[in-house]
Structures are given as structure tokens and as C-alpha cells.
Amino acid sequence: MKKVLNIILHRLFIVIVLLLVQVLILFLLLTKFKDSFQIFYFLMEALGGLVLLKIINDKSNPNFKIPWIILVLTIPVFGTFAYLLFGNKKGYKNKVRNDSVKLLKENNLFQEDVVLDNLKLEDKDFKTQANYLKHCGFPIYQDTLVEYFKIGEEYYEKLLEEIKKAKYFIFLEYFIIHEGKMWNSILDILIKKVSEGVDVRVIYDDIGCITTLPHKYYNKLNKLGIKCVSFNKFVPILTSKLNNRDHKKIAVIDGNIGFTGGINLADEYINEINRFGHWKDNGVMLKGNAVFTLTTIFLTTWDNVTNTKDDFTKYSPNYYNALNTINNSYITVYDDTPLDNEPVGKNVYLNLINNAKKYIYITTPYLIIDDELENALILASKRLVDIKIITPYIADKKIVNELTKAHYPNLIKNNIKIYEYKLGFIHAKTFLVDDMYATVGTVNLDYRSLYFHFECGVLIYKDKVLFDIKNDLIDTIKNSIEIKTKDTKIDFIRTLKRLLLKLFAPLM
């Protein structure tokens, strides 16, 4: 009885009930018009026609347009209402800054021309990638060290170590925070650091933590002296605002040390609990000036949520204590926002695929790609680029896993090798190309990450850490099962199911 009561009183259950009530109200309103059906239907047809014109002339990816067009044409009333409620990918309103180039100029993220000149002499192909990211507001640095963590336990150990050293500020921004060993041990240190006068700030995504933290958990942290906000607070109203989530994972300590990758602050990420077999993830730690981009990304979100405006220069790497970082490699930190029509994360991936000459190794928990990405991978394979993609063997979401498997046949047919991590679930988001380039971050190969969520990543060129990444991916492949053509043979009903899922994947 107590367990049932806990479920009924849980925030998620209440939210679902409220959303269902709204759906019921809409249904009753539509039913009320049945006596004037012809007039109502005519009005909905007219409105549907206007919606179709908007969809067709929208700048969105064609993969988004097709399912909406089908819905509006085949189920005019439902399809039109659904599009008006959920069709806007930019439901979240950014009150402070939503222009990356403006962010660059306002917060001293200026590109040093000498770095681009050096890069031009080394690699003209990568120079084009650097120019693209510079255009988006993200400079490339030559004075930043990178350390790679092939598993969550390593990342966690290093994060604890660096947080303990903090003297001035600690910024944490994570999609998921879950009370348990990992978060509780971090929280103990944060409380101690606040008592020492350290500026501690935490951002968590409200939906990401809907089942992992108590409602209004930020109040508890604020009482402890930790400045905390939840991103895009979830209100149980049918709206496209629900689409835009803060999927970033960022930690910044004193401006000189920064972390990102796929690892959230929850026990499954360090294999303290077993949810889907062994949890394989990764992350990176940066030391040096490139950390300022991570700081800027965090503060932009913070200022947006709190409606404040920080002086970003007070949190630059050299403001308190300069690190002596000598490195000849090239590092860029980038983020991606759904508030513009610039899918930075996707374009970073496309540029890497298009520049590949020898091989591309990819890890992703979800392989739900649009035609543009799929065609780019197939074209690279036809150029005799060796492509290996690693996905999970144990799924965390069954429908999403069906969608992932739906992309296998065409890729395998075009000599792209697919592997499933047989020990459990792989959550890492990694591209490694030609022993020369890599990106590690938060961007999944699915529509939500590529178009709806706020994301971030680190692009690495010509750094010794690339061989750490390569060795990890080779070991991961050894612990994976290669999927052959025969493994993709399924019955008619399941094939039809996957075809329908692929068609409506952009709306999920």
C-alpha cells in the first residue's frame, strides 16, 4: 500500500495525469462540435492548409517535415492541433543570449589568428572545420591539455580530486543528478567548499531529474549555500517547450579545469548500480584556455535561467591563477542550441565524416540518423573509408533500440560495420577519425540531441590523447558482437513496425 501511495504521490505520476486530463479536455471540446461538424471540419481544413504552407516553407530538415505533412493530411484535426502544440522545435525562450557569434564577441572568446595560421600550415582540411566553429562563436586553442577517461569510474575519481582543490569557484551543469554514492560524495565536498568561501553553482535539467531528485531540489541546495537552479522547469501543459532540454554535462573548477563527456552524476554511470549490464561511458578533462569556452557556455545558461548578467572575464582561466600549459595540439569546445537553425553538433560530425580518408570509429547509444548523415557515412564507405559504429547490446529504451536497429540493414549493405557492446550499455558519444581528429561530448546520434537539446562537445586535433581514445575503442570493439546481414532478418510485422518508427522518429 505504501509503495502504491508513493507512486500516486510522485511528481511524474501527477504530471502524467494532468497531461492526460488536458488531452481529454481537447477531445471533449472536439466532440462538442460534432453537431456543427461540416463548419468545424471546413475551418480545420483551412487551418490545416495554412499549417501545411508553414511546414513546407519552414527551414527545418526535410525529415521533420514529412511526418508532420502526413499527419496533417491524413488526420486533419488531430494533425493540425498536434503541430500547433508540438511542431515548434524552439519552444524554449532564451531571455539573455541565443546567438553564438554574439556570445563570442561579448565574452572575449576571440580567436587568435596565429593559431589559425599554424593550423593552415598543418592541415587545410581541419582548418575548414576550425573556420566553421569560429563562425559559430567557438575559437580553437593551442594551449590546452586533454586527459581522456574511458570509463565513468575514472572520470568520477578525477572530478572528486579536482573539486577538492577548488579555491574560487565550481560550476556544475548536468542533465541528470541522482542522489546516491556519486552525487552525495560530490555534495559533501561542495558543502565544505561553500564554507571556505568558494562560489558553487549547480544547474540540472528539470525533466532529466524528474525521477531522480525531489521536486524543487534546488531549494535544498540553496539553503546549504550552493546556488542552484533547474533548467526549463517542467510545467504539465501541452507545449513544445517540453522538447528543449539541457543535455550538457559540464564541470568547471577555478576557470582552469573543465570536464565534459557523456557522464551524468548518477550511480549507474560509475557502475555502482547495475541497470543495463556494464555501463560504458567516457569523458575528458581540459586544462588551459579552452576551458573558458566551457565556462562561457555554463554562465550563458546560468544568466538565462536566473535572468542575470555575469561579468564573464572574472571567470577566465588566467583571472586567478594562470596554468603553464604548453601543447601543440588544437582543441575546440563547442555547444549546440535548438534556438537557431545551426545544428552545430551534427555539422561537426558531418565535417569529420566528409574529411575522413582512412577510418571512422563511432560510439553512440542511439543510431537514429537522418538521410544527410546516413548518406555521408555511405559515401565515406564508398571512398573505402573503414567505418565501425558501436551501439549497445542491452537497450535502455526498447522503442529507441528498435529504431537504432532499423538503420542497420542499409549501413551494413554499404560495408559499414556495426557492433553491439556485449557487456551491456554504451552511453559514450565519440567520433575518432584517421588518428588525427576526435570529438567527445554529449551529442547522441538521434533527433533529440541533434535538433532539440542544448548540447556540448570537445573537438581534438593532433593530440597524443587520440591514441588513448583509439586504444579504448579497439578494446570496446573486442568486447562487442559484430552484426551481420543475417542478424538483421526479421519478420514482416517487425519490419513494418520499424519502417513506421523510422518515418515518425523526428517527432519522438
Side-chain angles (χ1 to χ4, degrees), residues 144-158:
T144 301
L145 303 176
V146 188
E147 186 173 346
Y148 176 73
F149 307 106
K150 63 183 179 182
I151 198 72
E153 292 90 318
E154 294 179 0
Y155 176 99
Y156 167 55
E157 184 180 335
K158 195 67 176 181

Side-chain angles (χ1 to χ4, degrees), residues 120-306:
K120 185 177 180 180
L121 296 174
E122 295 204 37
D123 190 323
K124 291 181 180 179
D125 288 338
F126 194 74
K127 171 79 183 306
T128 61
Q129 177 83 289
N131 283 338
Y132 168 70
L133 288 170
K134 176 190 173 186
H135 166 78
C136 294
F138 308 110
I140 191 163
Y141 295 89
Q142 263 192 297
D143 49 10
T144 301
L145 303 176
V146 188
E147 186 173 346
Y148 176 73
F149 307 106
K150 63 183 179 182
I151 198 72
E153 292 90 318
E154 294 179 0
Y155 176 99
Y156 167 55
E157 184 180 335
K158 195 67 176 181
L159 181 61
L160 281 180
E161 179 185 323
E162 295 299 333
I163 290 175
K164 287 176 182 176
K165 297 176 187 176
K167 295 180 179 178
Y168 307 105
F169 66 89
I170 301 168
F171 295 158
L172 302 177
E173 180 178 358
Y174 285 85
F175 179 61
I176 295 173
I177 295 176
H178 194 174
E179 292 179 304
K181 176 184 175 180
M182 187 180 191
W183 171 242
N184 292 345
S185 59
I186 292 171
L187 181 58
D188 288 342
I189 301 170
L190 298 183
I191 294 170
K192 183 175 184 295
K193 287 298 170 181
V194 166
S195 70
E196 296 172 3
V198 176
D199 179 8
V200 180
R201 306 187 197 185
V202 176
I203 302 171
Y204 64 86
D205 186 83
D206 207 44
I207 285 186
C209 296
I210 196 168
T211 62
T212 63
L213 289 178
H215 185 37
K216 295 185 178 180
Y217 182 71
Y218 49 82
N219 286 336
K220 174 183 176 180
L221 295 193
N222 282 313
K223 287 177 183 177
L224 293 170
I226 298 168
K227 301 170 188 173
C228 181
V229 294
S230 63
F231 180 86
N232 197 4
K233 291 178 183 176
F234 181 57
V235 180
I237 298 174
L238 295 173
T239 170
S240 59
K241 182 182 178 182
L242 305 180
N243 282 330
N244 304 138
R245 309 315 316 172
D246 184 359
H247 195 244
K248 299 190 290 290
K249 292 94 179 165
I250 293 173
V252 178
I253 297 99
D254 290 349
N256 288 304
I257 308 294
F259 293 79
T260 192
I263 301 159
N264 283 297
L265 305 183
D267 284 355
E268 62 264 38
Y269 291 84
I270 57 172
N271 288 292
E272 188 66 24
I273 60 173
N274 185 328
R275 292 188 64 200
F276 311 106
H278 184 262
W279 192 288
K280 177 75 175 75
D281 218 321
N282 67 2
V284 291
M285 180 180 72
L286 307 179
K287 286 187 176 182
N289 284 331
V291 176
F292 190 43
T293 308
L294 276 179
T295 307
T296 299
I297 292 167
F298 175 91
L299 287 173
T300 300
T301 306
W302 181 270
D303 285 359
N304 173 32
V305 177
T306 61

Side-chain angles (χ1 to χ4, degrees), residues 331-461:
I331 309 296
T332 303
V333 175
Y334 59 91
D335 82 342
D336 198 356
T337 167
L339 303 178
D340 56 22
N341 291 310
E342 191 73 45
V344 176
K346 175 186 172 182
N347 288 338
V348 167
Y349 288 164
L350 279 172
N351 288 339
L352 288 173
I353 294 167
N354 293 333
N355 284 333
K357 294 176 176 61
K358 297 176 183 177
Y359 74 83
I360 306 169
Y361 295 167
I362 298 169
T363 65
T364 180
Y366 317 117
L367 184 60
I368 307 169
I369 50 179
D370 60 16
D371 294 338
E372 191 175 11
L373 275 166
E374 186 167 354
N375 289 336
L377 287 167
I378 291 169
L379 285 173
S381 179
K382 289 178 179 178
R383 298 197 310 267
L384 301 182
V385 175
D386 176 25
I387 303 176
K388 292 180 171 67
I389 303 175
I390 311 166
T391 64
Y393 179 74
I394 300 177
D396 66 332
K397 303 177 184 72
K398 290 184 179 180
I399 291 179
V400 174
N401 190 247
E402 280 293 301
L403 265 169
T404 290
K405 292 178 185 297
H407 287 83
Y408 287 178
N410 195 38
L411 295 174
I412 292 171
K413 185 177 73 174
N414 285 280
N415 298 315
I416 295 170
K417 295 177 182 177
I418 306 291
Y419 298 84
E420 290 184 349
Y421 181 61
K422 66 184 179 183
L423 302 182
F425 185 69
I426 188 162
H427 190 254
K429 310 96 169 49
T430 319
F431 270 61
L432 177 67
V433 177
D434 294 348
D435 292 347
M436 298 286 284
Y437 326 109
T439 183
V440 175
T442 70
V443 187
N444 293 319
L445 283 174
D446 65 9
Y447 288 96
R448 297 219 146 265
S449 266
L450 296 171
Y451 295 103
F452 290 107
H453 290 167
F454 295 82
E455 306 279 2
C456 67
V458 175
L459 184 64
I460 305 162
Y461 168 62

